[in-house]
Amino acid sequence: MRKPCMVANWKMHKTVEESVDFAHQLIGKISESANSDIVIAPPFTSLYPVAEVLRESAIHLSAQNLHWDEKGAYTGEVSAVMLVDVGCKYVIIGHSERRALFNESDGDINRKIKIALKFNLRPIFCIGETLDERESGKTFAVIQKQLKDGLIDLASDDIRQIIIAYEPVWAIGTGRTATPNQAGEVHSFIRNMITEIHGTDVSGKTMILYGGSVNPDNIADLMSQPDIDGALVGGASLDVEKFIKVVKF
Ligand code: PGA
């Protein structure tokens, strides 16, 4: 059985004070028995103070990005070791905003996944097609390529650590969610691809999250799809009440 997992991706939002306040409120309102694993991904500047708040809780911390090398002359970058040092257990890799605005290639993403795994950070590996690609019938080809190239040279034991997030680019921040069927068929396609390469034992345990305008009103329908195991939540995760509703779908 895959336990649902809900990830809050705050993107470039929240000061330290706002982040810490959110973390306190979340802990206060989520009981130990929450039926979902919860991960929050604050901006870099808030990671350490939020880690301090979450220390005794069951809520996990994620970064939103990392560099693909261990260390070196990379002004402005942050390494896997630094993320582990401040308490991260997860890292989002290959978000469509990073692909589109910061020119991240499938090759860069593959290197980032490898360095994350080397330092025991669980990658939350994002893939998804643009509106043009969907409308021209290329969705499955795009997903197949991103998945294949992002996961090059990874063994089945590595795949077990990876969380995949399917985020159609046209649904991110637009209020236009994929229908449960649209999302469900891509999730099934992804799981089948993992089965073909790594077998059912690995694919049956692989977490596949949906992301793109998830909110308290659409989460239950999305979660009713058998291959949707949770959500990567942007806008709705900035408001603690909304995020809790998503978590408790
Ligand atoms: P959204 O963002 O929920 O605001 O659409 C999701 C994401 O980009 O991860």
Side-chain angles (χ1 to χ4, degrees):
M1 257 312 268
R2 298 182 297 269
K3 185 178 182 190
C5 176
M6 301 298 176
V7 183
N9 174 15
W10 289 351
K11 309 191 180 184
M12 198 170 73
H13 295 285
K14 294 195 190 291
T15 60
V16 168
E17 193 183 340
E18 289 163 349
S19 304
V20 165
D21 184 49
F22 183 112
H24 278 300
Q25 287 194 54
L26 186 63
I27 290 176
K29 289 175 182 177
I30 289 284
S31 66
E32 295 288 305
S33 59
N35 61 345
S36 305
D37 282 332
I38 304 171
V39 180
I40 54 182
F44 286 132
T45 45
S46 291
L47 286 174
Y48 186 67
V50 169
E52 294 283 283
V53 179
L54 299 183
R55 198 177 287 279
E56 303 295 323
S57 80
I59 300 166
H60 299 293
L61 191 66
S62 175
Q64 299 174 16
N65 184 29
L66 86 175
H67 191 264
W68 40 256
D69 207 352
E70 276 188 49
K71 59 183 167 190
Y74 301 107
T75 301
E77 293 292 324
V78 172
S79 73
V81 175
M82 293 167 186
L83 298 180
V84 171
D85 189 40
V86 294
C88 290
K89 295 271 190 293
Y90 297 75
V91 57
I92 298 172
I93 296 178
H95 190 281
S96 66
E97 287 151 14
R98 299 226 45 98
R99 291 175 187 263
L101 304 172
F102 302 96
N103 299 321
E104 276 188 18
S105 67
D106 290 325
D108 298 332
I109 291 162
N110 179 250
R111 294 169 85 179
K112 289 184 176 198
I113 291 176
K114 286 177 179 156
I115 197 86
L117 289 169
K118 179 169 178 186
F119 290 97
N120 290 324
L121 283 166
R122 287 192 74 178
I124 300 171
F125 166 41
C126 303
I127 53 178
E129 81 288 0
T130 63
L131 187 58
D132 267 3
E133 290 163 344
R134 173 160 285 265
E135 287 178 342
S136 53
K138 295 194 191 123
T139 298
F140 294 109
V142 169
I143 295 299
Q144 186 170 31
K145 182 175 185 332
Q146 290 178 343
L147 205 56
K148 207 164 137 271
D149 292 357
L151 300 180
I152 276 177
D153 293 337
L154 294 176
S156 297
D157 279 349
D158 297 325
I159 304 297
R160 283 179 214 277
Q161 300 305 316
I162 296 174
I163 296 176
I164 296 169
Y166 168 56
E167 298 204 304
V169 178
W170 48 272
I172 295 176
T174 58
R176 184 177 165 192
T177 325
T179 64
N181 283 341
Q182 280 174 325
E185 66 175 3
V186 177
H187 281 237
S188 303
F189 177 81
I190 294 168
R191 200 174 306 282
N192 288 340
M193 263 191 77
I194 307 272
T195 306
E196 272 170 33
I197 305 167
H198 299 283
T200 46
D201 183 49
V202 174
S203 70
K205 293 186 180 125
T206 301
M207 294 294 294
I208 310 177
L209 314 183
Y210 168 78
S213 297
V214 169
N215 62 43
D217 298 327
N218 58 29
I219 184 67
D221 282 347
L222 288 161
M223 291 301 291
S224 69
Q225 293 287 320
D227 283 311
I228 299 186
D229 304 318
L232 180 51
V233 191
S237 78
L238 295 173
D239 178 305
V240 72
E241 299 296 340
K242 282 191 192 160
F243 185 58
I244 287 170
K245 284 188 184 147
V246 169
V247 168
K248 293 185 172 170
F249 67 95

